Amino acid sequence: VIIGAGVMGQGLAEAVATAGHEVTLIDRTTKIAEKAVKSIGESLNREISRWGLTTSEKKAILARIYPSSDLSEADEAEIILEAIPEDVAKKRALLEKLDQICDREAMYITNTSTLSISEIAANSQHPERVIGMHFLNPVTKIPVVEIVKGLKTDQEAFQKAVQLAECLEKKWITVIEYPGYVTTRII
């Protein structure tokens, strides 16, 4: 499940679906999520025009993305990847809602470039399952991702994040929780 159908959420949905996995793309309204899927289709059209993709591959990728506005669809997800705006309070509030909805084993990944994973996870019932992954835009083109452990993130969550990065064919680096992380500080 990917929550947030903005630019980053769209890139993540496209990358996950291209890797062969089904994705529920959730935003405030289904109309927003549907518009995001349409934008993903346009992105795939650009790849077709560059001979990087076939029309059949595009159809298969889009068939794996399900737009929704129903947060309860995250109830059986193994991985929930959030790509909402960079606001600790909003990310915490979302995580608290997900704690009530999701399976106890679900892993929560926050896509952030600067925020504290520990602070986001502070009120969670399961802070050990909260981890950060800083994907760079455009997600489908940039081959690196930063994996950021919070103070209570456990090794199992870290290994799942590594598996996700490798599934998406990303080179990953581990980042100690620090303002700005590596790529942002380099920039």
Side-chain angles (χ1 to χ4, degrees):
V1 168
I2 296 173
I3 301 171
V7 172
M8 289 304 292
Q10 289 172 33
L12 291 165
E14 182 179 336
V16 171
T18 299
H21 300 281
E22 293 187 354
V23 174
T24 300
L25 181 59
I26 300 174
D27 209 299
R28 291 182 313 273
T29 68
T30 303
K31 188 173 184 174
I32 293 170
E34 288 170 347
K35 186 176 178 185
V37 174
K38 184 177 179 186
S39 292
I40 293 168
E42 292 166 4
S43 169
L44 295 171
N45 284 340
R46 287 188 292 278
E47 283 303 304
I48 291 169
S49 71
R50 287 182 262 228
W51 296 73
L53 199 67
T54 67
T55 303
S56 296
E57 289 169 322
K58 173 190 169 185
K59 287 179 183 176
I61 291 166
L62 291 176
R64 289 190 282 269
I65 303 173
Y66 307 96
S68 178
S69 60
D70 186 0
L71 200 57
S72 70
E73 290 192 36
D75 68 342
E76 294 182 18
E78 181 181 344
I79 296 174
I80 297 134
L81 208 164
E82 132 323 87
I84 65 173
E86 289 282 285
D87 180 312
V88 171
K90 288 180 181 176
K91 290 179 183 274
R92 278 177 127 177
L94 176 60
L95 181 53
E96 288 173 25
K97 287 179 189 174
L98 290 169
D99 272 343
Q100 304 306 312
I101 295 169
C102 297
D103 184 289
R104 295 178 49 86
E105 301 302 314
M107 184 172 86
Y108 178 86
I109 299 171
T110 180
N111 180 52
T112 180
S113 60
T114 59
L115 300 178
S116 165
I117 306 308
S118 299
E119 193 175 342
I120 292 168
N123 295 341
S124 173
Q125 295 173 16
H126 303 284
E128 71 280 1
R129 297 178 314 173
V130 180
I131 195 163
M133 290 183 80
H134 177 210
F135 291 90
L136 288 92
N137 190 34
V139 177
T140 56
K141 303 287 183 204
I142 306 295
V144 70
V145 63
E146 296 173 304
I147 299 176
V148 189
K149 296 196 299 188
L151 292 174
K152 295 184 179 178
T153 304
D154 67 17
Q155 190 60 24
E156 183 180 346
F158 176 74
Q159 288 303 322
K160 281 185 180 180
V162 167
Q163 289 172 351
L164 176 61
E166 290 174 350
C167 170
L168 299 177
E169 298 182 3
K170 302 288 183 194
K171 294 185 185 331
W172 55 272
I173 58 172
T174 307
V175 178
I176 304 301
E177 193 172 47
Y178 184 89
Y181 308 151
V182 175
T183 56
T184 306
R185 288 188 309 218
I186 289 171
I187 292 167

